[in-house]
Amino acid sequence: MNILNTTSSGYFFSRTLNLIFSTIFNTKKPIKFVVWDIGLNKVERFLLKYYDVTIIKVPEFCEFWRDCYTWKTYIYKKSKERFFLHLDSGNTVLCDIDVIFERIKEKGYFFVDQGQLLSQITPADYYEYYGLNKIQDHSVFAAGNIGFDKNNKGFLKIIDTSYDSALKGMCLGYSYGERNRVMKSNFIIRDCEVFRHDQTVLNCCLRATDVDIDILPYSIYSAVRRTDDVKILNQRKISYEFFFKKVNVFIIITFLYCIFNDSFFYLKIMFDKIVKKILN
């Protein structure tokens, strides 16, 4: 049975459920779900278990594991299934997910274009560290909607290298234009146009090898606009579209909790913005 991985905290909880429900609705065969826990409470873990979701707590594997998506490299390394697929919790699946698993089995990977070039997201010292060719530029693949065959030794080496890099703090920091983002590591300024943390590291690790890849268009597999061709909608915003494809009492309870939870986080974010504006 195929397994779909995603990651969630309380903030992304309703979006995680919408991802799961949309996948179930559009997929013919049974599928298992694994949610990597980076900040769920007891109620949220209980609700996920009711929907037969496996929950794996991401441990504090290093001091800065929460910062700049460092935790993502841990998930890639520690996942147990051979055909690994991870979709960020802001996504809605609009196709039979088996199509993507078949691609992973056939090609050995599932990579989606991010719409940037490696030179835009990579600091100069990373080129030297990873032994990258400065003359040849590459397109960048996303680190959230990603899959690979873990029996492939080439990809295993890339995963191991990215995890080791993350432990050294190489996911941390921001480009100058994003230096004011509130994170513990915001004092690190990376000299590139838009530093992309785990995505930068993962792309550097792959491009340092001789592995040739075929990257799929984000307009279909990570689309921000919904069309008939879209297979994965990366809307990121809150959506309850697939909650009521199958209505029962527990779905209603789940929906009401999500409304309350999302409202809480919305008000908290607005309050924090107001306080920050006043203090500045």
Side-chain angles (χ1 to χ4, degrees):
M1 186 181 294
N2 291 327
I3 300 173
L4 175 60
N5 292 264
T6 190
T7 311
S8 189
S9 62
Y11 179 75
F12 287 101
F13 181 66
S14 69
R15 280 165 275 203
T16 301
L17 285 175
N18 195 63
L19 167 66
I20 291 170
F21 294 154
S22 68
T23 304
I24 293 171
F25 180 78
N26 287 295
T27 302
K28 295 176 182 178
K29 297 178 182 177
I31 182 170
K32 291 184 178 180
F33 297 93
V34 172
V35 170
W36 295 82
D37 176 5
I38 57 170
L40 296 169
N41 62 34
K42 292 181 179 180
V43 174
E44 291 153 359
R45 288 193 290 270
F46 171 79
L47 291 172
L48 286 173
K49 287 178 181 178
Y50 174 82
Y51 294 111
D52 199 26
V53 174
T54 299
I55 304 167
I56 302 176
K57 178 73 174 176
V58 177
E60 297 179 13
F61 60 93
C62 68
E63 182 182 356
F64 43 81
W65 72 277
R66 279 187 176 275
D67 290 355
C68 299
Y69 305 98
T70 298
W71 45 265
K72 245 178 202 179
T73 63
Y74 176 91
I75 294 171
Y76 301 153
K77 182 173 177 63
K78 299 297 182 179
S79 60
K80 299 299 184 184
E81 64 272 22
R82 173 181 173 180
F83 300 110
F84 172 80
L85 176 63
H86 181 282
L87 298 180
D88 280 341
S89 58
N91 288 288
T92 298
V93 172
L94 300 175
C95 68
D96 190 326
I97 203 75
D98 282 348
V99 173
I100 296 175
F101 280 102
E102 287 304 314
R103 181 177 179 85
I104 297 172
K105 293 171 185 177
E106 177 188 351
K107 303 278 288 187
Y109 59 87
F110 167 70
F111 292 144
V112 180
D113 180 36
Q114 187 66 16
Q116 294 172 312
L117 295 173
L118 189 66
S119 59
Q120 294 177 281
I121 70 169
T122 305
D125 58 323
Y126 282 45
Y127 274 86
E128 181 178 353
Y129 181 85
Y130 291 107
L132 297 168
N133 187 339
K134 292 184 178 181
I135 298 175
Q136 184 180 9
D137 212 345
H138 297 280
S139 54
V140 171
F141 59 88
N145 294 4
I146 188 171
F148 37 77
D149 180 354
K150 298 193 79 172
N151 271 16
N152 185 305
K153 292 182 180 180
F155 287 121
L156 275 181
K157 183 178 179 182
I158 292 164
I159 294 166
D160 289 342
T161 305
S162 66
Y163 180 68
D164 292 341
S165 298
L167 293 179
K168 295 175 182 176
M170 296 184 74
C171 294
L172 304 179
Y174 298 91
S175 48
Y176 185 79
E178 295 185 310
R179 65 193 181 281
N180 293 323
R181 290 178 63 179
V182 181
M183 293 291 280
K184 293 179 182 178
S185 58
N186 62 358
F187 61 90
I188 302 176
I189 303 298
R190 305 292 188 183
D191 64 333
C192 57
E193 186 178 330
V194 187
F195 185 64
R196 277 295 167 254
H197 322 299
D198 61 308
Q199 185 171 287
T200 293
V201 168
L202 194 60
N203 275 270
C204 285
C205 291
L206 186 139
R207 296 304 184 180
T209 71
D210 295 326
V211 176
D212 186 29
I213 60 171
D214 177 24
I215 303 179
L216 296 168
Y218 66 84
S219 58
I220 296 177
Y221 293 95
S222 187
V224 294
R225 293 182 181 180
R226 191 165 181 168
T227 66
D228 292 339
D229 295 331
V230 170
K231 297 185 183 298
I232 299 176
L233 181 64
N234 188 12
Q235 58 193 4
R236 300 193 178 186
K237 65 181 180 180
I238 294 169
S239 173
Y240 311 112
E241 177 183 356
F242 286 89
F243 274 59
F244 293 105
K245 297 298 182 180
K246 184 177 180 181
V247 181
N248 56 44
V249 173
F250 210 84
I251 281 287
I252 295 172
I253 293 172
T254 302
F255 172 71
L256 291 175
Y257 173 81
C258 288
I259 289 287
F260 170 81
N261 190 56
D262 290 335
S263 299
F264 166 78
F265 278 107
Y266 174 79
L267 292 173
K268 182 179 184 302
I269 290 169
M270 295 302 296
F271 176 78
D272 290 343
K273 285 182 178 179
I274 293 170
V275 170
K276 187 176 180 180
K277 190 171 183 180
I278 292 172
L279 293 177
N280 290 342

